[in-house]
Amino acid sequence: MPLAHIRTVLARVRLRLPASRPPLKHLARLRRPGPRTRRWGGALAVVAAGLAGGLAGLLLGGRIETPVGPTDVSLLLRPHWGGGTTVQIPPLGALHLDTHWGPLALEARVTELRPEPARELIESQTALGKITDQIAGELRHGVIVMLLRAVALGLTLSFLAGLLIFRSWRKALAGLGASVAGMLVLVLLTWSTFNPQAIAEPRYTGILSNAPQLVGDARSIVERFSAYRAQLARLVGNVSELYAATSTLPAYEPDPSTIRVLHVSDIHLNPAAWSVMRSVSQQFQVNFIVDSGDLTDHGSEPEEKFADDIESLKVPYVFVRGNHDSKGIAEAVDDQKNAIVLEDRSQEVEGLRIYGVGDPRFTPDKTTRDDHMGVEQLRTLGSQQAQKLRNSGTTPDMVVAHDPYQGEGFSGATQIVLSGHGHKRSTRLMPTGTRLFVQGSTGGAGLRGLEHEQPTPIELSVLYFSRANHRLQGWDDIRLGGLGLTSAQIERHLEPNPDRTIGPPATQPPTHSPTFPSLPPSQWPTQSPTTSPSPTRPPERG
């Protein structure tokens, strides 16, 4: 083909290209929304801005502190898709009521007790009879004020959101209308799903979950309103009395100069103990937990899984073996990330130096309960272990031994000895200045608690140590009624002389004790010889 002809053809092609529509620009035009789509998008943006502003206002304005009886109660709205009402009573726990369904829940929290009105309420039977109407009126007033504030702030923020985002009075008013419509939907949803019988089926958390009888039989409350009025008055009196006894405890006002230690013992496979310990450790903000033994009943391999719940406590867990805990149980505890097993050794935990010894016996059932170790033998063993501590130059802030008789041997070697074993709480100051603290059963002695006429109560204590000198300042004894009982009690005790001198005992322990078992725990017999018991044998315990 001649060159001149090719040039002519190319020139014609170039002349035609500008007339053709660029494909990319054509596609961009196809994607551009039309006028109707833009109108719908703008309307949805206005509605979204109005609803978001209204919701933010409801949450910010929906909080108020109001007097209710002898207490101050904090009321607040919070986002929760399941709705409902929660009543927080620190440190006892909470009651959850399925009063309504929706995206907002109501929470009431007791924040402070006024001691003088509480004392008058407790002492006056006339005041107790009138407290129901007073509480109902004050609570209704507080809820109304809170809702009015929340609605006012919600409407204000929805209007301002539309004005700031779109810079248009018309769109701001449209957003305000959307917020009003949303609030009306919330009211209708709450009204239509409101359940006045919700008090018949409350859910308890915290310590209250182990003593729900504090609020009486909820079903009979619904059926007999007059009985409910009297029961509510008694409940307010009980809670007021409890707060009057504990209102100044450091547990309620976190103090960085205080080390809080939760002492538990003799859980005996009771799973309810975990929820009690979890609640108390959270409410009292404890730094760590000390378990003075008898976590299980028989020390068997199937019982080792019971230790898995230790990790759920979320704080360090110091453990010594009891006479019902085998070596396998101690290993199962040691496998937990937050657990520390002490077996004739010391370790620093949260600033406190702790020395722990396991029980020298293994008596997993009644057939082996008579192991021929008398009181004096246990005391002598403890004294020998204490002497070894002195020889090493170690003075622990705390000693943990399962049996209090073995613990007595550490008199003069530390300021406090924690023990258990007897399922009954007690404490005494020994002549050397050492305090012996015997804990009750945190598991209500498990199924063993049913062996007696009266169920064994659940007991545990929170001990307060000075971070400056590590001395014990005081402690709170917590006691919950056992199976079938209905009591919950907290008692405060102050150490009368926390800086007292602690000295060695007047007499030194013997160097040897030929009657102690010489086999290691792994080789202990599962059954004891059939001989008469020692006359110095202590009373039979867990």
Side-chain angles (χ1 to χ4, degrees), residues 317-321 330-331 333-334 339-343 345:
Y317 190 91
V318 180
F319 175 78
V320 299
R321 284 183 303 98
E331 292 174 350
V333 172
D334 199 37
I340 301 166
V341 177
L342 297 182
E343 186 66 61
R345 71 182 184 91

Side-chain angles (χ1 to χ4, degrees), residues 147-396:
L147 292 177
L148 289 177
R149 287 179 53 181
V151 169
L153 187 58
L155 295 179
T156 301
L157 287 186
S158 67
F159 179 77
L160 292 177
L163 194 62
L164 291 174
I165 295 174
F166 304 106
R167 300 185 182 277
S168 166
W169 288 94
R170 183 179 298 176
K171 291 184 178 181
L173 290 173
L176 178 62
S179 181
V180 171
M183 291 182 185
L184 289 176
V185 170
L186 275 179
V187 171
L188 291 175
L189 183 62
T190 303
W191 183 266
S192 62
T193 60
F194 180 70
N195 177 22
Q197 306 298 321
I199 193 173
E201 297 177 349
R203 298 189 307 277
Y204 304 92
T205 60
I207 297 178
L208 288 177
S209 63
N210 295 278
Q213 297 87 347
L214 275 173
V215 295
D217 184 343
R219 199 164 298 279
S220 67
I221 284 173
V222 176
E223 295 170 355
R224 296 181 295 120
F225 184 72
S226 60
Y228 166 63
R229 288 166 59 91
Q231 185 66 22
L232 178 60
R234 287 194 294 271
L235 168 64
V236 173
N238 290 340
V239 172
S240 299
E241 193 169 6
L242 178 63
Y243 268 77
T246 60
S247 57
T248 60
L249 291 178
Y252 309 127
E253 295 295 334
D255 183 355
S257 67
T258 302
I259 302 174
R260 298 170 176 83
V261 180
L262 177 61
H263 180 207
V264 303
S265 190
D266 296 270
I267 293 173
H268 284 291
L269 287 179
N270 187 351
W274 298 124
S275 60
V276 175
M277 292 157 60
R278 198 155 38 240
S279 176
V280 172
S281 63
Q282 292 170 358
Q283 296 286 349
F284 286 80
Q285 300 184 19
V286 303
N287 296 91
F288 62 93
I289 299 171
V290 172
D291 183 345
S292 50
D294 274 2
L295 181 67
T296 61
D297 268 340
H298 304 286
S300 61
E301 185 175 348
E303 292 174 280
E304 293 175 7
K305 190 164 181 59
F306 184 70
D308 291 347
D309 279 331
I310 290 176
E311 288 191 9
S312 69
L313 299 173
K314 307 297 184 184
V315 293
Y317 190 91
V318 180
F319 175 78
V320 299
R321 284 183 303 98
N323 59 298
H324 286 266
D325 300 319
S326 64
K327 183 179 179 182
I329 295 299
E331 292 174 350
V333 172
D334 199 37
D335 287 340
Q336 311 307 311
K337 293 181 180 178
N338 58 323
I340 301 166
V341 177
L342 297 182
E343 186 66 61
D344 193 17
R345 71 182 184 91
S346 300
Q347 183 160 331
E348 185 174 308
V349 183
E350 296 291 325
L352 293 181
R353 173 65 60 178
I354 307 172
Y355 175 79
V357 288
D359 198 288
R361 306 155 297 180
F362 180 49
T363 57
D365 52 51
K366 289 185 177 181
T367 62
T368 60
R369 193 170 281 185
D370 182 12
D371 60 312
H372 303 283
M373 285 202 71
V375 173
E376 292 306 321
Q377 292 173 304
L378 288 167
R379 285 195 184 113
T380 302
L381 175 60
S383 297
Q384 292 174 346
Q385 292 167 330
Q387 188 59 44
K388 187 173 72 171
L389 269 179
R390 294 188 187 93
N391 294 339
S392 67
T394 302
T395 304

Side-chain angles (χ1 to χ4, degrees), residues 483-504:
L483 297 172
L485 301 182
T486 60
S487 63
Q489 179 179 332
I490 303 177
E491 293 183 6
R492 180 200 305 131
H493 305 271
L494 298 179
E495 186 64 85
N497 183 15
D499 298 323
R500 63 188 178 276
T501 301
I502 298 170

